Amino acid sequence: MVGQSPLEPGESRAAVLLEPFVHQVGGHMSMLQYDEHTVCKPLVSQELSFYESLPLAMRQFTPQYKGIVSVHLKRDSLGNLALLASPCLQAESCGRQESAAGDPSVTMRHRHRRAAGSDCTVLKWSHTQLTKTFRDSCPGKRLLRTDLQYCTDPLLEDKNGNQPERKSHNPWGLHCHRQQLSRLSKHNENKLHQFLLLENVVSKYSYPCILDLKMGTRQHGDDASEEKKARHIRKCQQSTSASLGVRLCGMQVYQADTGHFLCKDKYYGRKLSAEGFRQTLRQFLCNGNQLRTELLEPIVLRLKALLSVIRKQSSYRFYSSSLLIIYDGQEHKESTAALGNHLHFPRTNCNPPQGTQHSRVDVRMIDFAHTTFKGSKCNHTTYDGPDQGYIFGLENLIKILQSLSEGK
């Protein structure tokens, strides 16, 4: 089922400057912010096929698919690179899998001619404007760096092999964005690239605490080369993917005592033992002052609901996909009537509530570039029954969270 395009047919507006998505905590493809409620990522035909055929029961556990947008590279007079999306082309592209069918080169040339003759206006952005937009677009802007300079040592460790605790901002999204600009800079500036438009699942949170978990006991897709297959098998065997069916891929958690985010990346996650993974889950639920025990019940209930859905999805294999667990680092005090459609539960810890306090949590599956299922246009192998590796990971994740709630 194709999502609605942000533009109606015939509409056009200025090209949109894509900003680095400052709350990307994992993955290797750069997520970019299109607007407050929408992010985008490079289109992979297998992932598009998944979103177009998404089972109804799974939609509450995935980002809403909003269509396709054309993106090109822009270099200013100082040599700075930026990515611009052309929304006026969406009505033509949204709803058709043009990159996976027919001649892609013809499609690209046709779209470029349309762009050249359209009334799209490329916005002129100075570095100062870009910096201001980056700062103001982030809900937790007071906690994040206010410049676009990349950390020179985002992945360095100290002499003992430990990662320093980064509390100013999460550098992973900027790290991915720098790599993406480097890759795209090798192409002609006029080349159009297709990106998927997806719901920004953290837009409703003031201080989004995000846990990115790589799910399943197998991570390589059916189309992986022997070298890549061996590499992924080795990573699984040397991490909690093999023993638990889940491993940490990234994390940011708001620390109320310092007013900063604590961040961990995938390299940290690969080194964790089963007990280390459990302690990291506990750390994800700790705001620096106390353990947010009131979050455990709603998270577990949401995971159990997802588990029930996954068990019914015959032929699906979610290789290399991730699971996001999200909550707001800012504790809310609001009445039940004002809660809307979010999942809310009352506080369950021993501290007496001041007013009526509730917790908002969310659980979403993301990254389906290697997902396969019966009937997929990109299907390589047809499997029977549900994804047991993913189910194994979910069951262990639920068990660990339940043990935390019991104080074990």
Side-chain angles (χ1 to χ4, degrees):
M1 179 77 178
V2 176
Q4 285 189 332
S5 167
L7 283 179
E8 296 298 327
E11 276 190 278
S12 63
R13 65 174 180 237
V16 175
L17 176 68
L18 299 177
E19 305 163 11
F21 181 55
V22 296
H23 294 303
Q24 179 177 353
V25 303
H28 66 277
M29 279 191 177
S30 176
M31 296 294 297
L32 299 167
Q33 185 151 335
Y34 180 86
D35 60 32
E36 181 183 356
H37 302 289
T38 311
V39 295
C40 61
K41 62 185 295 190
L43 186 152
V44 176
S45 58
Q46 197 159 336
E47 185 163 34
L48 176 60
S49 178
F50 171 80
Y51 277 113
E52 289 183 327
S53 308
L54 187 62
L56 182 62
M58 291 189 64
R59 290 181 191 173
Q60 62 172 311
F61 295 106
T62 61
Q64 179 193 0
Y65 166 52
K66 299 187 175 186
I68 301 169
V69 69
S70 296
V71 174
H72 71 279
L73 196 67
K74 184 73 175 179
R75 190 185 301 269
D76 66 17
S77 58
L78 299 177
N80 297 317
L81 296 174
L83 289 172
L84 293 161
S86 302
C88 56
L89 301 182
Q90 279 180 217
E92 177 186 353
S93 65
C94 182
R96 295 200 297 273
Q97 193 177 341
E98 293 177 341
S99 65
D103 184 349
S105 61
V106 172
T107 300
M108 290 297 187
R109 287 196 300 271
H110 175 62
R111 286 191 186 167
H112 182 54
R113 286 195 298 269
R114 281 285 303 273
S118 72
D119 57 352
C120 276
T121 303
V122 174
L123 299 176
K124 302 296 184 182
W125 288 80
S126 67
H127 180 75
T128 302
Q129 287 172 311
L130 182 59
T131 300
K132 182 178 185 300
T133 302
F134 174 77
R135 180 176 68 247
D136 292 347
S137 69
C138 175
K141 58 193 174 188
R142 294 186 299 280
L143 311 179
L144 305 176
R145 291 172 59 128
T146 56
D147 60 73
L148 279 175
Q149 300 301 311
Y150 295 98
C151 296
T152 56
D153 58 344
L155 304 177
L156 293 184
E157 301 171 338
D158 62 23
K159 60 182 180 181
N160 297 319
N162 298 316
Q163 285 190 347
E165 293 188 353
R166 299 180 184 84
K167 299 181 179 179
S168 56
H169 77 295
N170 193 326
W172 191 256
L174 298 182
H175 165 74
C176 293
H177 186 60
R178 176 175 58 180
Q179 290 187 323
Q180 178 131 301
L181 285 178
S182 177
R183 287 192 296 268
L184 294 181
S185 65
K186 297 178 174 63
H187 296 283
N188 186 298
E189 282 190 30
N190 293 326
K191 180 177 175 61
L192 293 178
H193 307 269
Q194 289 185 305
F195 278 54
L196 290 178
L197 289 169
L198 299 169
E199 173 192 2
N200 175 4
V201 297
V202 304
S203 63
K204 61 180 176 283
Y205 299 104
S206 299
Y207 304 99
C209 298
I210 308 167
L211 188 67
D212 186 326
L213 301 171
K214 189 72 72 174
M215 300 300 296
T217 53
R218 168 180 158 175
Q219 299 303 326
H220 61 277
D222 290 332
D223 58 342
S225 65
E226 288 302 315
E227 179 185 358
K228 186 173 183 179
K229 179 179 176 180
R231 187 168 66 249
H232 280 283
I233 290 174
R234 186 166 59 251
K235 287 177 185 176
C236 288
Q237 291 174 338
Q238 296 173 349
S239 68
T240 56
S241 288
S243 59
L244 297 176
V246 54
R247 75 168 181 258
L248 179 77
C249 196
M251 181 179 84
Q252 71 175 36
V253 54
Y254 175 59
Q255 302 293 280
D257 58 334
T258 62
H260 296 291
F261 282 106
L262 171 65
C263 306
K264 300 292 183 182
D265 63 26
K266 66 179 182 181
Y267 299 106
Y268 174 86
R270 287 179 191 172
K271 297 177 182 178
L272 293 174
S273 63
E275 177 58 25
F277 178 79
R278 181 182 181 279
Q279 292 302 322
T280 302
L281 283 188
R282 190 181 190 282
Q283 187 177 41
F284 172 66
L285 296 167
C286 184
N287 65 6
N289 293 324
Q290 64 175 350
L291 188 66
R292 296 283 301 277
T293 53
E294 80 278 8
L295 299 171
L296 285 163
E297 181 184 7
I299 291 174
V300 168
L301 288 176
R302 186 84 168 144
L303 289 172
K304 285 182 175 180
L306 173 60
L307 178 58
S308 177
V309 170
I310 296 296
R311 283 174 171 159
K312 298 173 184 175
Q313 304 309 314
S314 180
S315 84
Y316 278 82
R317 293 298 181 270
F318 302 100
Y319 299 137
S320 198
S321 73
S322 286
L323 185 68
L324 299 183
I325 300 178
I326 312 162
Y327 71 90
D328 203 329
Q330 176 178 311
E331 296 186 65
H332 293 268
K333 300 177 182 180
E334 50 192 356
S335 66
T336 304
L339 296 181
N341 295 321
H342 303 302
L343 186 61
H344 299 274
F345 290 81
R347 292 173 61 93
T348 57
N349 63 10
C350 298
N351 298 328
Q354 299 178 358
T356 304
Q357 296 191 16
H358 299 266
S359 299
R360 296 189 294 182
V361 304
D362 202 355
V363 170
R364 301 291 186 105
M365 301 173 70
I366 61 167
D367 297 340
F368 305 103
H370 301 287
T371 293
T372 182
F373 56 95
K374 186 177 181 180
S376 169
K377 299 182 182 71
C378 311
N379 186 50
H380 296 274
T381 305
T382 299
Y383 299 90
D384 293 324
D387 189 333
Q388 294 298 336
Y390 200 105
I391 289 172
F392 178 65
L394 272 179
E395 289 175 336
N396 282 316
L397 182 58
I398 289 169
K399 287 177 184 176
I400 294 171
L401 290 169
Q402 287 176 328
S403 73
L404 290 176
S405 69
E406 296 164 1
K408 296 179 180 179

